[in-house]
Amino acid sequence: MPSARRASVIPHLRRGCADLGFAAAFLALAVLVYAHLWADPARRYLIEGGQDQNQWEWFFSVTAHNLLNGESPLFTTLQNHPLGVNLMANTVMLGLSIPLAPLTLAFGPSATWAVVLTGGLAGSAFAWYWLLSRQLVATRAAAAIGAVFCAFAPPIVSHANAHPNFVVVFVIPLVIHRLVLLHRHRRILRDGVILGVLIAYQIFLGEEVLLLAATGLAVFGLGYALAVRPPTRPVVVGVAVAATVCLALAGPALVFQFTGPQSYASLIHGPAGNDVRALVSFAGRSLAGDATVAGSLSLNPTEQNAFFGWPLVILVIGLVVWLRRVPVVIPLGAVVVVAAAFSLGPEIIFYGEKSGLAGPWEVMSRLPMFESVLESRFAIVCVPAMAVLLAVAADRVIAASWRGAPARVLLGLALAEALVPLAPKPLVAADRPATPEFFTAGLWRRHVREGRALVPAPPPDAADATALRWQIDAGLGFSLPEGYFVGPYGPDRQGVYGTAPRPTASLLRDVRDSGQVPSIGAAERRQARADLAYWRADAVVLGPHQRQAELLRTLTDLLGPGRQEGGVWIWDV
């Protein structure tokens, strides 16, 4: 090889080796976070995620099932029988559940769940590293610092318990990369088309993440335009091309989502803003965190959306002041401030006390699409903005001459003080209860005809979706009434988790929740028969349950004596 050619190849080889090294490191970090899950993916359950793992594994299973049977991946009646579920209106992540269907069919949805979560963290970290190292900073180490924070920040690790749509965000850095190229007047048509394809793909990974990213980019773009006054025509033209391409690719699915069967207008939820204290506290799974304190400041372990810790907050403020002459820094600071303000909700809360002060979310929540977002999640928008600030600062010091040694030491200490307390601890996982033989051995086939429903007692919902796992282990051979999904409720078709419960379902859930056996009379028995007919049910089943004795007495009063088979009680109806 000629020396000139060898000299040109060697830097590329070095960069490639460095990239592979960082990719391996990101994967190792992701595996560490999910170490307890990978101990036995087929049996382990992320217990701080509530019922979401059951729901997501069902999403992966039903997508693979529909593809295998030549059915639409956008709709199913396997839950909420006979009305069904609009899968496009749920977070099914068709962008991954479809290409990973062979994995699901071969090894089960638990394997897909573990791969998506772990690969999502590692892949997202590498995508951020790639963007930072190619477009924003000169040193790979600085890019790695920013990338690790982007993928493993406390809000992301919190969602990593249960929400792969907030973990798998590798498309967002690619979207930003195309916007950068448009800003630099590269091939506008080509970059616009690629941007449109990327946005369409992100729609099939997670629309909420896309909305959050678009909001952050809009704030950054406005701030950058005011500070630098760059020419905007290339970006505007490129975004217009992207919108056209995106609508051509994702438009039909979006029409089905918003107008198809079991579609809904917007998602109902109450005020869910962050307490101001949450912004400077530590998350439950952070190295310096206290689960009790974090739990008192959040909805649940999967919604610890802020928790940046006071050292990082102080460091970010200091970096904005220090680097204020760098064109991107003030706009990045604006993103952090605006996103944090949005996340506080319609009324600012200080240390658990309502202040009476209205937050900017009071206005934002009235806008289309924004009304369906949990406002506390806007704190996630702070993560990439903070990460870029960290990367730019690290790059400045790493690339400095020997005269920069004191600054390098000081920044290193500041970064350690801010980031080490935020290091994630492995997520908690435990063995899930075994599925009864009635489902795994196919005994259910003696009781349920094709196209008919099997009614668990009580039917699955957001509080207990164990029956979804039973259905998966039975090969999705029967339908279930009601369930854990998002669907329409009432004449205004507002989105809710589940559906309007039938009276018998409510009665059985009351027994499950209270342990009290109700008085059953002729009216309750007539209602039970009417509900079973509505569900088109062939059988009712009572599996292992902590309230099994109370539920058994209630079902016996409703339906008469049942019989035991394959580890469950069964009533043919």
Side-chain angles (χ1 to χ4, degrees):
M1 178 184 294
S3 59
R5 183 179 178 188
R6 182 165 54 247
S8 66
V9 169
I10 288 175
H12 293 288
L13 290 176
R14 287 176 177 171
R15 168 167 278 192
C17 289
D19 290 347
L20 287 175
F22 281 117
F26 299 148
L27 180 59
L29 285 173
V31 171
L32 180 62
V33 170
Y34 288 113
H36 298 313
L37 179 65
W38 279 107
D40 188 352
R43 295 178 57 193
R44 303 291 276 179
Y45 193 94
L46 294 172
I47 58 176
E48 291 188 337
Q51 296 300 306
D52 285 12
Q53 183 170 337
N54 284 325
Q55 182 194 54
W56 278 97
E57 290 180 352
W58 187 86
F59 285 155
F60 292 138
S61 287
V62 76
T63 300
H65 173 272
N66 285 359
L67 292 175
L68 184 65
N69 292 278
E71 300 172 10
S72 170
L74 304 182
F75 189 81
T76 185
T77 56
L78 288 170
Q79 274 195 80
N80 198 33
H81 193 263
L83 297 178
V85 176
N86 188 320
L87 295 173
M88 187 62 199
N90 283 263
T91 51
V92 184
M93 291 185 77
L94 295 173
L96 282 181
S97 58
I98 288 177
L100 292 179
L103 175 65
T104 304
L105 293 170
F107 299 101
S110 296
T112 306
W113 167 255
V115 167
V116 166
L117 289 173
T118 309
L121 283 180
S124 298
F126 186 79
W128 286 112
Y129 161 81
W130 184 85
L131 171 67
L132 291 168
S133 64
R134 268 55 173 184
Q135 297 294 340
L136 298 173
V137 296
T139 58
R140 289 187 286 272
I145 290 171
V148 168
F149 184 74
C150 273
F152 297 92
I156 307 302
V157 172
S158 172
H159 284 279
N161 277 292
H163 304 145
N165 53 319
F166 282 94
V167 171
V168 182
V169 295
F170 64 87
V171 171
I172 301 302
L174 304 182
V175 168
I176 296 173
H177 176 247
R178 286 296 146 186
L179 290 171
V180 171
L181 295 181
L182 285 171
H183 167 65
R184 293 177 179 172
H185 305 184
R186 299 294 173 86
R187 301 174 182 173
I188 296 175
L189 180 60
R190 181 202 65 178
D191 291 332
V193 169
I194 295 174
L195 178 62
V197 172
L198 290 170
I199 294 173
Y201 184 55
Q202 179 60 46
I203 287 173
F204 292 105
L205 290 178
E207 295 171 42
E208 188 171 353
V209 166
L210 182 60
L211 177 63
L212 296 178
T215 304
L217 287 169
V219 173
F220 176 84
L222 178 60
Y224 189 76
L226 293 175
V228 181
R229 300 187 181 278
T232 58
R233 183 177 178 276
V235 176
V236 171
V237 173
V239 170
V241 171
T244 303
V245 172
C246 176
L247 288 176
L249 295 174
L254 291 173
V255 170
F256 186 89
Q257 173 182 341
F258 291 105
T259 65
Q262 292 301 292
S263 59
Y264 53 89
S266 60
L267 186 59
I268 296 176
H269 60 77
N274 288 318
D275 191 310
V276 172
R277 184 184 177 191
L279 296 173
V280 295
S281 298
F282 296 101
R285 298 311 301 168
S286 291
L287 194 61
D290 183 303
T292 302
V293 173
S296 69
L297 297 171
S298 58
L299 292 175
N300 54 59
T302 68
E303 293 292 345
Q304 293 178 6
N305 293 309
F307 298 92
F308 298 111
W310 61 266
L312 179 61
V313 173
I314 293 174
L315 177 60
V316 166
I317 294 171
L319 292 179
V320 172
V321 174
W322 174 41
L323 299 169
R324 62 188 180 279
R325 298 188 186 281
V326 178
V328 299
V329 167
I330 295 299
L332 288 171
V335 172
V336 173
V337 171
V338 171
F342 284 172
S343 80
L344 298 179
E347 182 178 0
I348 310 275
I349 298 175
F350 290 92
Y351 287 67
E353 299 293 331
K354 294 182 178 180
S355 68
L357 299 174
W361 187 251
E362 178 69 23
V363 176
M364 291 296 296
S365 64
R366 299 170 187 170
L367 299 179
M369 296 185 292
F370 286 90
E371 85 283 352
S372 298
V373 178
L374 285 175
E375 56 268 31
S376 69
R377 291 178 175 178
F378 268 90
I380 298 173
V381 179
C382 299
V383 171
M386 288 178 169
V388 175
L389 289 170
L390 294 172
V392 170
D395 188 58
R396 282 292 185 92
V397 175
I398 292 171
S401 66
W402 65 271
R403 294 186 181 86
R408 188 179 294 123
V409 172
L410 287 175
L411 181 62
L413 291 174
L415 286 172
E417 175 70 23
L419 298 181
V420 169
L422 303 180
K425 294 179 283 190
L427 301 181
V428 181
D431 288 344
R432 68 173 74 191
T435 300
E437 181 187 9
F438 180 81
F439 300 102
T440 58
L443 303 181
W444 60 269
R445 291 189 178 89
R446 304 173 184 173
H447 305 275
V448 186
R449 293 166 289 173
E450 183 176 356
R452 302 283 288 184
L454 178 68
V455 181
D461 63 356
D464 185 0
T466 305
L468 299 185
R469 183 68 193 188
W470 297 346
Q471 187 189 34
I472 292 169
D473 290 339
L476 300 178
F478 53 80
S479 295
L480 296 172
E482 304 192 5
Y484 184 20
F485 58 93
V486 181
Y489 179 86
D492 295 331
R493 301 186 67 79
Q494 294 294 305
V496 297
Y497 289 99
T499 187
R502 303 287 295 183
T504 303
S506 295
L507 184 149
L508 293 172
R509 289 183 183 125
D510 287 343
V511 177
R512 175 196 68 190
D513 297 338
S514 69
Q516 301 297 314
V517 179
S519 176
I520 302 296
E524 287 77 17
R525 295 187 185 97
R526 284 195 301 271
Q527 185 63 59
R529 288 194 295 272
D531 291 340
L532 292 169
Y534 174 83
W535 291 325
R536 300 176 190 173
D538 277 351
V540 176
V541 65
L542 173 61
H545 199 284
Q546 62 179 355
R547 304 285 194 190
Q548 188 177 60
E550 294 88 348
L551 286 166
L552 178 60
R553 287 170 55 192
T554 303
L555 288 167
T556 300
D557 288 345
L558 278 174
L559 306 175
R563 66 177 185 276
Q564 289 185 293
E565 184 178 352
V568 303
W569 286 87
I570 184 76
W571 288 261
D572 290 311
V573 296

